[in-house]
Amino acid sequence: MGSGQWTVEKRSSLRNESFAREYENVPETGCLSVIVLGASGDLAKKKTFPALFNLYRQGFLQSNEVHIFGYARTKISDEELRNRIKGYLDKNAANEPSEDVLKFLQLIKYVSGSYDNEEGFKLLDKAISEHEESKKSAEGSSRRLFYLALPPSVYPPVCRMIKKCCMNKSDMGGWTRVVIEKPFGKDLESSEKLSTQIGELFEEPQIYRIDHYLGKELVQNMLVLRFANRFFLPLWNRDNIANVQIVFREDFGTEGRGGYFDEYGIIRDIIQNHLLQVLCLVAMEKPVSLKPEHIRDEKVKVLQSVLPINDEEVVLGQYDGYKDDPTVPDNSNTPTFATVVLRIHNERWEGVPFILKAGKALNSRKAEIRVQFKDVPGDIFRCQKQGRNEFVIRLQPSEAMYMKLTVKKPGLDMNVVQSELDLSYKQRYQGVPIPEAYERLILDTIRGDQQHFVRRDELKAAWEIFTPLLHRIDNGETKPISYQPGSRGPAQADELLEKAGYVQTHGYIWIPPTL
């Protein structure tokens, strides 16, 4: 791939041709080094390394130009790291690693060292430089991607060590980029402090704040749906849309992560980042172009138009049994469930509630966007009892998008029922694998495309919305309501939805179609 262009042979070997076309003609410089910091942790072995392997298997990472370095405090050998991660790389390989897995594992080298000491990072830089020399890359012309699969508390010292010991020379044609995992702070003050510390070391184009929700296939589809389809353009506004729900539900609790979760809660963990990012794509105006900065400009405008949260439009919950976890304090006020109504003060959305809802230990697992339209004026069929039109985008599981609409029930009588126009991905796109979010976002980072990453002013605007509410929760001024595991959450949340104008359809259940 050194010519800067995919060959026909390489393209034909890719599993997902549409995914391949999106990344054709990626400009190349010298060889590529991907450094996974926190290589011995759960995030690295469950998400980062599998994503890198899938990119390798699809031909996006070539063995003759890429090398992968793991770095952590754990004192293990190259082979021990490979043994730790190989079971996560290919779920279809069962106990016997495939040839692709074995070849990929040989690309991984491990370096042990602390996160705040030069010695370990000098060893890391030496290992990277030796790889670059072996590929005959001119000094400073290679690419170095540092993936921080680490807790936020160590971001500043790690970034200082990268800056001091491991930088590539951008003026020689190479680059150094840093991928930072959420959470980006705990409130506005801590986020700004973290941004300032990292911003003093790296320029904004070098910083990639990753939110894996932005890499999900149907989240990526939002811009296409909204701005490439004529029939949505006149409908997507306050005149036609009654409310928008963005929902994240899990049917399990904290499951051994109680101590970590209790430090953040459901709003910091899910709503302030994942769901708010989705809201931006639903509500933003059409950007000037698809250039990353034009898209991110419009997302920031949406966040800056959100009114302060009204406490009367918030319901918090904590499932019974949450505090039984020995790592959770007995007096914990941390919500495991939240429904929050946001209101956008602009010409398009004035008066339309955006309902963000997330919770653990609920009765189902799903993430979806639900756009509910207003009632039909002059309803001659008296079909309002059937429910409203809704456009639903199912993000996970069973990726789909469907329009709930009223139709005549088959038969001699003029009876109406709710049905759907359905695009279910597994049925429509048979045999076409949907890339994992981390695959796409890591590839975007290598490509230098920041469209699906969070910019600093965007992060600040997001924290400005939620910090006052979070401080009231932290201070015990706002308390969660108990709810039973396996339920819909507190009954008050459904009451809030009704007050916000959401009309629930009774008796209708969407069933994913089967072949």
Side-chain angles (χ1 to χ4, degrees):
M1 206 166 56
S3 63
Q5 201 165 21
W6 297 97
T7 65
V8 173
E9 290 78 17
K10 286 172 185 170
R11 283 204 298 268
S12 64
S13 69
L14 299 174
R15 291 186 298 140
N16 187 338
E17 292 183 8
S18 61
F19 192 38
R21 283 196 296 273
E22 185 179 348
Y23 291 97
E24 283 184 324
N25 304 322
V26 178
E28 302 290 346
T29 53
C31 66
L32 172 66
S33 297
V34 179
I35 303 96
V36 181
L37 297 118
S40 59
D42 271 3
L43 176 63
K45 70 182 180 184
K46 292 179 180 178
K47 296 294 184 183
T48 315
F49 283 117
L52 290 169
F53 170 68
N54 285 330
L55 290 174
Y56 166 79
R57 183 165 57 179
Q58 295 175 76
F60 289 106
L61 298 178
Q62 297 291 313
S63 58
N64 63 348
E65 67 173 14
V66 68
H67 210 69
I68 299 166
F69 298 86
Y71 184 92
R73 289 180 294 219
T74 310
K75 294 186 181 299
I76 55 175
S77 66
D78 295 352
E79 200 58 37
E80 285 173 311
L81 176 63
R82 293 166 186 164
N83 287 334
R84 285 188 181 196
I85 66 174
K86 68 181 178 183
Y88 294 91
L89 299 182
D90 189 354
K91 295 174 183 175
N92 298 321
N95 296 325
E96 190 65 33
S98 66
E99 186 179 348
D100 282 343
V101 168
L102 294 174
K103 288 181 178 178
F104 174 77
L105 290 172
Q106 293 309 305
L107 300 177
I108 299 173
K109 181 177 177 59
Y110 182 75
V111 178
S112 173
S114 70
Y115 295 127
D116 57 359
N117 188 287
E118 289 185 30
E119 184 181 355
F121 281 88
K122 285 180 178 177
L123 287 173
L124 177 61
D125 181 64
K126 181 182 178 184
I128 299 170
S129 299
E130 287 174 354
H131 161 64
E132 292 170 348
E133 290 169 10
S134 72
K135 298 298 180 184
K136 297 182 170 53
S137 289
E139 184 183 359
S141 68
S142 297
R143 299 163 289 163
R144 297 185 177 187
L145 172 60
F146 291 86
Y147 195 110
L148 275 60
L150 295 165
S153 58
V154 298
Y155 290 168
V158 166
C159 287
R160 281 194 294 272
M161 291 299 105
I162 293 172
K163 180 70 174 180
K164 191 166 187 178
C165 304
C166 301
M167 293 292 287
N168 211 353
K169 298 180 176 65
S170 58
D171 58 344
M172 302 292 289
W175 49 252
T176 302
R177 292 173 186 153
V178 179
V179 179
I180 300 172
E181 277 276 355
K182 77 168 189 72
F184 315 114
K186 293 184 68 176
D187 57 11
L188 178 60
E189 183 182 359
S190 60
S191 174
E192 279 293 280
K193 181 179 178 181
L194 187 60
S195 291
T196 299
Q197 290 173 322
I198 297 173
E200 289 172 349
L201 300 167
F202 300 106
E203 300 293 330
E204 185 66 25
Q206 295 176 298
I207 304 169
Y208 288 72
R209 300 174 190 86
I210 194 169
D211 184 330
H212 75 271
Y213 252 59
L214 290 176
K216 288 186 176 293
E217 182 67 30
L218 271 79
V219 173
Q220 298 233 323
N221 216 333
M222 276 305 305
L223 293 187
V224 179
L225 284 170
R226 287 198 53 203
F227 302 124
N229 293 291
R230 186 70 177 89
F231 56 77
F232 277 132
L233 295 178
L235 296 177
W236 213 261
N237 54 50
R238 64 193 299 270
D239 297 328
N240 299 286
I241 293 176
N243 55 75
V244 177
Q245 273 195 78
I246 304 171
V247 179
F248 174 93
R249 303 165 68 92
E250 287 183 332
D251 55 3
F252 54 88
T254 53
E255 295 194 338
R257 295 175 66 243
Y260 165 82
F261 182 85
D262 197 73
E263 192 178 345
Y264 292 95
I266 198 71
I267 294 176
R268 290 183 177 99
D269 196 40
I270 301 295
I271 294 179
Q272 183 272 342
N273 41 73
H274 296 334
L275 302 194
L276 199 59
Q277 286 292 322
V278 175
L279 178 146
C280 289
L281 296 174
V282 173
M284 64 187 272
E285 298 298 320
K286 183 186 287 188
V288 175
S289 75
L290 290 176
K291 290 181 179 178
E293 292 314 306
H294 289 157
I295 292 171
R296 299 202 293 182
D297 286 346
E298 296 303 331
K299 288 167 67 181
V300 171
K301 289 177 187 176
V302 171
L303 295 174
Q304 291 174 337
S305 300
V306 174
L307 296 172
I309 295 171
N310 181 350
D311 278 355
E312 294 181 0
E313 294 191 310
V314 177
V315 172
L316 305 176
Q318 186 185 90
Y319 68 82
D320 290 344
Y322 169 70
K323 287 184 278 196
D324 293 344
D325 186 323
T327 62
V328 174
D330 292 338
N331 61 347
S332 171
N333 197 51
T334 300
T336 61
F337 173 98
T339 296
V340 181
V341 178
L342 298 186
R343 298 185 179 272
I344 301 173
H345 182 58
N346 65 18
E347 184 178 5
R348 182 181 293 272
W349 297 115
E350 186 75 41
V352 178
F354 282 75
I355 304 159
L356 307 187
K357 180 178 178 180
K360 290 183 171 293
L362 299 177
N363 60 348
S364 63
R365 173 183 172 265
K366 67 179 179 180
E368 66 184 16
I369 306 163
R370 189 172 289 270
V371 180
Q372 186 170 85
F373 292 88
K374 293 183 176 180
D375 293 323
V376 174
D379 179 19
I380 60 174
F381 294 102
R382 305 188 189 284
C383 59
Q384 287 185 10
K385 64 181 181 182
Q386 299 292 341
R388 289 170 162 173
N389 293 149
E390 288 185 14
F391 180 47
V392 183
I393 301 172
R394 174 68 71 94
L395 306 179
Q396 68 181 36
S398 303
E399 293 91 345
M401 58 186 78
Y402 59 95
M403 177 72 82
K404 286 170 58 177
L405 70 170
T406 302
V407 298
K408 178 186 173 296
K409 185 178 181 180
L412 295 175
D413 295 324
M414 183 57 74
N415 294 326
V416 295
V417 294
Q418 275 220 319
S419 188
E420 68 281 323
L421 298 175
D422 193 314
L423 168 59
S424 288
Y425 271 52
K426 286 182 181 178
Q427 185 184 52
R428 178 65 179 84
Y429 302 113
Q430 297 176 40
V432 179
I434 297 175
E436 289 289 333
Y438 280 94
E439 292 176 40
R440 185 184 299 277
L441 295 176
I442 289 174
L443 193 53
D444 279 346
T445 310
I446 295 169
R447 190 185 184 209
D449 184 348
Q450 291 189 305
Q451 175 181 330
H452 304 116
F453 294 83
V454 182
R455 200 168 65 188
R456 179 173 177 174
D457 57 342
E458 185 181 346
L459 181 62
K460 180 181 179 183
W463 278 119
E464 285 174 340
I465 294 168
F466 281 99
T467 292
L469 171 61
L470 289 167
H471 283 177
R472 290 194 290 275
I473 296 170
D474 294 342
N475 295 334
E477 298 168 30
T478 305
K479 295 187 177 295
I481 303 162
S482 293
Y483 65 94
Q484 286 296 314
S487 68
R488 285 176 52 83
Q492 291 87 335
D494 285 335
E495 294 169 9
L496 175 59
L497 260 64
E498 190 175 342
K499 287 178 186 175
Y502 177 71
V503 177
Q504 188 172 355
T505 305
H506 295 284
Y508 170 88
I509 298 175
W510 175 71
I511 301 174
T514 56
L515 299 175

